[in-house]
Amino acid sequence: MLQGKKILLGVSGSIAAYKAATLVRLLVKAGAEVKVLMTSSATQFITPLTLSTLSKNEVGLHISENGSWSNHVMLGRWADAMLIAPASANTLAKMANGLCDNILLAVYLSATCPVMFAPAMDEDMWIHPATKANVDKLKSFGHIQLPVNKGELASGLFGEGRMSEPEDIVTFLDHYFAQKAAKSGALAGKKALVTAGPTVEPLDPVRFISNHSSGKMGIAIAEALANNGAEVELVLGPTNLGTTHPMIQTTRVQTAQQMFDACIQRFDAANIAVLAAAVADYRPAQVADVKIKKKDEGLHIDLEKTKDILKTLGTQKKDSQVLVGFSLETNNEREFALKKLTDKNLDLVVLNSLNDAGAGFNYDTNKVYLFTKGGKETALPLKSKTAIANDIVSAIIELQHA
């Protein structure tokens, strides 16, 4: 969500100013355009050259620069968000009382964008009634305070007052813009159910049957739905991947039966359901209580069918709901995909072919074909899974408005 966002970073005089270098680097890496403002005392902790190099923009140091007295006004109107990090006790006091004796404060008073601040100071300063009053006043202006951490402080004492870590600040900003976008998204007010990842079917306490699914595609779809305003329930099989998107609630499951139960429980409330998980079609008929020991002869395992989640939801689907399934094939791809579309009462089926290079399990890219029950067919070229997810969600939005 930070891609293309314009961020004004104000750096005040605190030892935590050294973290500004990491913060700028992470914001730029996330796709944001960053401009930095520094108080004179901040330059004693970190050089403007460091931050200008990392941000690829000149650092603002003075109210009047390059013969202009209005640069602070233009900067205040340029940004999507202004973040003061670190925000020292002195800077917080000046902000709360409208003082304007440096470029950071001049831009702050001119800012027409949301303002956020990450306090950084010793615990005694942080808990002082004057500081608390200043913070409360800034919050009354509609400004957003980032959490204050507890730990070792510059004084050598241990307590509250540490600035949020740069990684946490970037996550905070990402969530902020995600929630802001969601309020005006095409799927605002809609509820979505998404499954992702593999399932595992135990054979004994040690072994199981599973597949190579990583969950990347399903997670990307969940995030794309959330970015368009939907409240998403993600039912996620065993994978080391996940999402921190604020509009996504994740339920972790292991087996096909657990995924079935989670989907049945949530489907009725969903406007959209996208079943991207690679669910086991079969499981061991008997699960041993103890580890099966190796023998000289071969091992015979009886398998039984698992419940078909997609077909079950298809029988329960209301006309107002959009149900999307995936079809991963190695042969007769189009034929099998269209059969699934009809047999399971889907509105959209996404065809993956393992014959396409760069598509399928564990890749960061995918190449898919979309088939709707209305007869529309769309071939999507090889793209990142994030881009493919956005295309799939665009197709879902079309179905919602059809």
Side-chain angles (χ1 to χ4, degrees):
M1 295 306 298
L2 288 170
Q3 184 69 42
K5 293 293 186 292
K6 299 173 181 177
I7 308 296
L8 268 177
L9 175 62
V11 182
S12 65
S14 162
I15 184 61
Y18 79 90
K19 296 181 180 180
T22 301
L23 179 55
V24 170
R25 182 180 62 81
L26 291 175
L27 288 170
V28 171
K29 185 178 180 181
E33 184 179 354
V34 182
K35 292 186 179 181
V36 181
L37 310 167
M38 299 180 72
T39 65
S40 59
S41 56
T43 63
Q44 298 177 49
F45 295 99
I46 186 171
T47 68
L49 177 60
T50 298
L51 298 181
S52 66
T53 301
L54 292 171
S55 67
K56 301 179 176 62
N57 282 306
E58 184 178 351
V59 172
L61 297 171
H62 308 288
I63 294 178
S64 175
E65 290 184 336
N66 301 320
S68 172
W69 283 93
S70 61
N71 62 318
H72 59 285
V73 177
M74 295 302 103
L75 282 171
R77 291 177 171 270
W78 169 83
D80 293 307
M82 183 176 187
L83 168 68
I84 295 91
S88 66
N90 185 51
T91 292
L92 290 177
K94 290 181 176 181
M95 290 168 62
N97 291 283
L99 299 185
C100 183
D101 61 358
N102 60 46
I103 183 63
L104 190 160
L105 294 166
V107 173
Y108 160 67
L109 288 175
S110 302
T112 57
C113 61
V115 175
M116 307 171 190
F117 58 97
M121 63 199 74
D122 210 75
E123 183 176 53
D124 292 333
M125 301 174 73
W126 173 243
I127 64 176
H128 194 282
T131 302
K132 292 299 184 187
N134 290 330
V135 169
D136 288 343
K137 193 172 183 180
L138 291 173
K139 289 180 179 178
S140 75
F141 296 163
H143 301 338
I144 302 169
Q145 181 214 314
L146 276 70
V148 172
N149 290 341
K150 189 173 184 178
E152 186 177 358
L153 305 170
S155 63
L157 300 175
F158 187 93
E160 288 188 342
R162 287 174 61 93
M163 187 181 92
S164 292
E165 294 303 319
E167 294 80 2
D168 295 331
I169 293 175
V170 172
T171 299
F172 186 95
L173 284 168
D174 192 64
H175 287 183
Y176 169 80
F177 284 114
Q179 290 174 319
K180 187 176 179 180
K183 291 178 181 178
S184 58
L187 297 175
K190 302 292 185 182
K191 295 183 182 296
L193 168 65
V194 179
T195 67
T199 62
V200 295
E201 308 304 326
L203 178 61
D204 62 21
V206 177
R207 304 176 182 89
F208 57 81
I209 297 172
S210 189
N211 56 64
H212 296 294
S213 175
S214 65
K216 290 179 182 178
M217 191 70 250
I219 292 171
I221 290 170
E223 291 178 340
L225 286 164
N227 289 342
N228 279 276
E231 294 180 36
V232 181
E233 291 273 358
L234 173 62
V235 181
L236 185 59
T239 171
N240 60 355
L241 301 180
T243 178
T244 59
H245 199 294
M247 299 289 287
I248 300 176
Q249 179 70 40
T250 301
T251 299
R252 296 270 183 173
V253 297
Q254 295 286 316
T255 67
Q257 183 61 48
Q258 290 172 352
M259 188 168 282
F260 177 90
D261 293 340
C263 289
I264 293 299
Q265 182 181 349
R266 292 161 175 77
F267 181 62
D268 187 60
N271 304 104
I272 300 159
V274 183
L275 273 62
V279 184
D281 293 322
Y282 297 91
R283 66 185 175 201
Q286 298 293 328
V287 179
D289 294 330
V290 297
K291 180 183 175 183
I292 299 172
K293 302 303 291 182
K294 182 169 61 177
K295 301 177 182 179
D296 291 337
E297 64 271 19
L299 176 66
H300 177 82
I301 302 172
D302 288 323
L303 300 177
E304 63 183 14
K305 288 193 71 173
T306 59
K307 293 179 181 177
D308 191 325
I309 303 174
L310 194 57
K311 187 169 185 177
T312 302
L313 298 188
T315 62
Q316 298 179 2
K317 185 174 82 72
K318 300 185 286 283
D319 290 341
S320 59
Q321 292 175 301
V322 172
L323 181 58
V324 180
F326 273 66
S327 184
L328 178 63
E329 306 296 345
T330 59
N331 62 294
N332 300 327
E333 294 98 330
R334 186 176 183 277
E335 176 187 342
F336 288 140
L338 290 174
K339 188 174 189 301
K340 179 175 283 191
L341 180 69
T342 303
D343 291 351
K344 302 193 178 183
N345 192 27
L346 307 182
D347 297 284
L348 171 67
V349 67
V350 182
L351 169 63
N352 268 128
S353 173
L354 285 182
N355 295 317
D356 290 329
F361 294 136
N362 290 310
Y363 289 103
D364 291 325
T365 55
N366 209 354
K367 179 180 179 181
V368 302
Y369 308 83
L370 308 183
F371 302 92
T372 70
K373 68 178 181 181
K376 183 178 179 180
E377 300 184 11
T378 307
L380 299 178
L382 189 70
K383 301 181 183 181
S384 71
K385 285 186 173 176
T386 299
I388 291 289
N390 288 330
D391 289 337
I392 292 171
V393 170
S394 293
I396 290 171
I397 291 170
E398 275 189 42
L399 290 169
Q400 280 274 304
H401 295 152

